[in-house]
Amino acid sequence: MPPPLLSRTLDPILGVFTGMFAYYLYETHPRTAMPETLRLFSLLRWKRGRWQQERERKLLANSEEPVDWQALAANAESEADQGSRH
């Protein structure tokens, strides 16, 4: 294993930062400039919006009647009290 350049924890952080910075420069350089719709940030925003819509659709499709948690807790406590009496 080669010796670390700066430290064992700082080297990976520096590598990730350098890679992200290089990709940012690649996307925004005038010679290789991509359209705004094809940039990573806009694609991530689109993917997140699609994920949220799918999640809302699933939640609305599986909508059940609301659960009264206080009534369930009271029922469980009363059953526990009856079980300890016997």
Side-chain angles (χ1 to χ4, degrees), residues 7-25:
S7 72
R8 290 178 66 187
T9 55
L10 192 58
D11 280 355
I13 294 170
L14 180 64
V16 169
F17 172 75
T18 304
M20 291 174 62
F21 185 61
Y23 191 77
Y24 169 77
L25 290 176

Side-chain angles (χ1 to χ4, degrees), residues 25-34 39:
L25 290 176
Y26 166 72
E27 280 190 337
T28 57
H29 192 275
R31 187 180 287 174
T32 60
M34 297 179 184
R39 291 191 179 172

Side-chain angles (χ1 to χ4, degrees), residues 58-69:
K58 284 182 182 178
L59 288 175
L60 291 176
N62 293 335
S63 63
E64 299 173 358
E65 59 186 55
V67 177
D68 186 7
W69 294 105

Side-chain angles (χ1 to χ4, degrees), residues 14-84:
L14 180 64
V16 169
F17 172 75
T18 304
M20 291 174 62
F21 185 61
Y23 191 77
Y24 169 77
L25 290 176
Y26 166 72
E27 280 190 337
T28 57
H29 192 275
R31 187 180 287 174
T32 60
M34 297 179 184
E36 185 65 34
T37 57
L38 294 180
R39 291 191 179 172
L40 181 63
F41 189 70
S42 63
L43 292 175
L44 290 175
R45 201 175 327 135
W46 171 76
K47 184 72 169 176
R48 182 174 181 261
R50 218 175 90 198
W51 174 78
Q52 284 180 335
Q53 288 175 353
E54 183 69 23
R55 184 172 179 261
E56 287 177 12
R57 188 185 63 77
K58 284 182 182 178
L59 288 175
L60 291 176
N62 293 335
S63 63
E64 299 173 358
E65 59 186 55
V67 177
D68 186 7
W69 294 105
Q70 292 176 344
L72 286 175
N75 188 17
E77 288 177 5
S78 66
E79 287 179 5
D81 290 340
Q82 289 176 359
S84 63

